[in-house]
Amino acid sequence: MILITGGMGFIGLHTARQLLDAGEDLVLTRYHVRREPDFLAGALGTRITVETLDAADSYAVFDLMSRHDIDGVIHLAVPALGRLAPAEEARANLAGLLNVLEAARIAQVRRVTLASSVAVYTGAGPGPWREDTPLPVASGSPTGAFKKMTETVADHYAERTGLDVALLRIGFIYGPLYHSMSNLPSRLAHAAVRGRDPGFAGPGGSVPLAGDGLDYCYVKDCARAIALLHLAGRLEHRIYNVGGGRVTSNAEIAEAVAAACPAATLPELAPGASPGTRPAGRGYMDLARIRGEFGYEPAYQPAKALADYCGWLSLHEE
């Protein structure tokens, strides 16, 4: 049985589907929100157990692990960004990490898979970024700072205890059940399907530049990579990039949404690119490691991904 902390979150739910298809039974944790998407119908309450958990509560983590026959942990739970003061946010991230690692060690689980982020590469040069790219101490965001902390602490803990730990640097993920609307694919897909303004001109808003882009990855690809790495036998490395493996421009995203929803009227993107935009095609994570060891390739390029996403949105309210 595999425990997914934060399993009721966006990435966790899709990862659960992948693991169910691989024959695994699961414990998914939630903090406040409980979601039951139809792609998990029939498994909730049978092959999936849902538990409420604050990972920063050591007793709760150890109690949960003792009540279930857990043989692997995928740790996705993090405090909501911006909800806590800096010291409290750091304390909650670190406490959750250490509680999960120590409970997993005592339970003698086969592997702990931890979510890191593409944000650790901020300031690391133009890319493409490899797992052995030197990372600067300075971080451009709380995510970058806390994920570097996660990697450093988890790597040291694994060396000291022999616990099998895998760290996944996850890119910019979009797709069904994403709710914060902070990335362009989700904003445009929702706007196209729901017939609403994507909010570029709102308070503090600005029209995205067509030439800008990010290492976007569709959530179904991300979930497949997480399940693949967690279930694999011996890993050759401890850190793996999980992303799209290329820069996807805003223009390509807009074109894919327009093709998926031809009747929709969407605002035009602004021409050009930001002054600080990295040289074309270089601001992405290199997937050579996960590709070489496991043959992984993203199956959902933008056109296929946005068609799938818009199709989902046309059938579901989020």
Side-chain angles (χ1 to χ4, degrees):
M1 181 172 286
I2 296 173
L3 168 65
I4 307 179
T5 69
M8 280 277 155
F10 165 51
I11 294 175
L13 289 167
H14 288 276
T15 302
R17 181 65 265 170
Q18 292 288 327
L19 292 168
L20 287 173
D21 291 344
E24 300 291 337
D25 291 341
L26 308 169
V27 176
L28 308 184
T29 75
R30 69 185 189 94
Y31 188 51
H32 290 303
V33 177
R34 180 185 176 108
R35 296 189 284 183
E36 299 185 6
D38 53 9
F39 59 75
L40 295 182
L44 289 161
T46 55
R47 296 180 59 199
I48 294 177
T49 300
V50 178
E51 295 267 10
T52 300
L53 178 71
D54 177 0
D57 181 339
S58 60
Y59 175 81
V61 175
F62 283 79
D63 176 64
L64 186 153
M65 293 281 285
S66 69
R67 289 186 288 105
H68 297 280
D69 186 19
I70 302 298
D71 60 10
V73 180
I74 299 174
H75 183 43
L76 303 177
V78 292
L81 284 174
R83 299 283 181 86
L84 301 173
E88 290 302 313
E89 190 171 13
R91 188 175 294 113
N93 274 280
L94 183 57
L97 172 65
L98 291 174
N99 290 338
V100 165
L101 290 172
E102 184 67 357
R105 181 190 66 80
I106 291 171
Q108 297 182 319
V109 306
R110 188 182 69 86
R111 175 170 296 144
V112 177
T113 300
L114 301 170
S116 184
S117 170
V118 64
V120 302
Y121 290 116
T122 301
W129 302 303
R130 296 171 52 88
E131 291 88 346
D132 56 4
T133 297
L135 304 180
V137 172
S139 301
S141 68
T143 298
F146 295 134
K147 292 306 185 183
K148 288 177 191 175
M149 177 181 71
T150 292
E151 292 191 8
T152 300
V153 171
D155 181 77
H156 176 70
Y157 190 95
E159 290 296 326
R160 289 281 299 274
T161 66
L163 182 66
D164 187 341
V165 172
L167 290 152
L168 310 187
R169 291 175 177 167
I170 296 172
F172 296 93
I173 311 302
Y174 67 99
L177 300 174
Y178 181 80
H179 62 85
S180 72
M181 296 299 101
S182 63
N183 65 44
L184 184 67
S186 295
R187 291 174 72 180
L188 287 182
H190 276 257
V193 174
R194 309 285 186 232
R196 65 192 189 202
D197 192 299
F200 298 153
S206 61
V207 178
L209 296 174
D212 287 354
L214 294 169
D215 187 341
Y216 284 118
C217 179
Y218 197 50
V219 68
K220 292 183 179 181
D221 280 329
C222 176
R224 179 166 57 90
I226 293 172
L228 178 68
L229 285 159
H230 185 76
L231 295 176
R234 181 179 178 274
L235 299 176
E236 296 296 323
H237 300 89
R238 186 165 287 152
I239 300 175
Y240 293 85
N241 287 335
V242 175
R246 69 182 183 95
V247 172
T248 301
S249 71
N250 291 341
E252 188 175 0
I253 294 294
E255 290 168 6
V257 173
C261 302
T265 301
L266 294 170
E268 292 188 5
L269 302 181
S274 300
T277 298
R278 300 177 183 88
R282 297 178 66 188
Y284 65 92
M285 293 187 294
D286 187 303
L287 300 184
R289 182 173 288 183
I290 189 174
R291 181 185 296 118
E293 288 186 39
F294 305 105
Y296 170 82
E297 292 286 353
Y300 287 84
Q301 296 302 324
K304 180 180 179 180
L306 270 303
D308 186 75
Y309 191 8
C310 290
W312 162 272
L313 289 172
S314 70
L315 298 174
H316 300 83
E317 290 293 333
E318 292 190 11

